[in-house]
Amino acid sequence: GRGTLTADQFYQKNSRWTEGLLSAAKMVGHGAQHLVECADNVVTGKGKFEELEVASHEIAASTAQLVAASRSKASRNSKRLETLKGSSKIVTQKTGHVVVSAKSGVKAKKRAEQPDFTKLTALQGKRAEMEIQVRLLELETEVEHTRNQLGEIRRLGYSDASKSPMSSGKTSPF
């Protein structure tokens, strides 16, 4: 809590914490807006379901950051903190519902678009099987490359900010 400080004194003394708290709250708001946009795009076929999942995870992370920042300055028995924690759980549940609903819609759409393999000849079936195996190998290679990129970005983000190329304005190695 603020103790005996006025609101102005508290925020002046804790300006860095206040900025972090406001930043976390803004990220929750931006994340929610992005989640809605992603859900709309997935439903209309303009977006990818994976983008929706990432947006959902970002909201959960931002909400957790907001709660953690609030907890660090809140009184032990703060009713407002308890309300924030409850709201955080609701946000996580609701974003999960959005993801589940969109996933259900995507699955239904993919089922409708699935080719009927029962009508293929033996040769056509073997050719389709080989094409699918080639596609799987391509995707696995792409996943490995993309994971390496993500690991490099995270490694750079966790390194000392003064030594990081990300903070010095240098371009990404990708």
Side-chain angles (χ1 to χ4, degrees), residues 35-124:
L35 180 75
V36 170
E37 290 170 4
C38 288
D40 286 343
N41 288 340
V42 167
V43 170
T44 60
K46 297 176 188 172
K48 298 177 183 177
F49 175 73
E50 293 80 7
E51 292 171 343
L52 180 64
E53 281 188 304
V54 169
S56 173
H57 293 301
E58 286 300 316
I59 289 177
S62 296
T63 304
Q65 183 180 6
L66 179 63
V67 171
S70 298
R71 184 181 296 134
S72 71
K73 296 286 182 182
S75 301
R76 276 189 189 208
N77 299 321
S78 172
K79 290 182 181 180
R80 289 182 179 166
L81 180 60
E82 291 306 315
T83 301
L84 180 62
K85 287 179 183 178
S87 297
S88 173
K89 288 179 184 177
I90 291 169
V91 166
T92 300
Q93 289 172 347
K94 297 303 179 186
T95 57
H97 291 311
V98 169
V99 171
V100 167
S101 296
K103 191 173 201 171
S104 173
V106 168
K107 281 184 179 180
K109 184 178 178 183
K110 285 188 177 187
R111 274 193 301 268
E113 296 172 352
Q114 182 72 25
D116 185 4
F117 294 118
T118 61
K119 297 180 181 178
L120 298 178
T121 66
L123 183 60
Q124 291 171 329

Side-chain angles (χ1 to χ4, degrees), residues 141-159:
T141 301
E142 186 177 341
V143 164
E144 183 179 346
H145 176 72
T146 305
R147 278 198 178 121
N148 289 337
Q149 287 180 329
L150 178 61
E152 180 66 13
I153 289 170
R154 286 180 175 167
R155 186 185 64 75
L156 291 172
Y158 293 133
S159 69

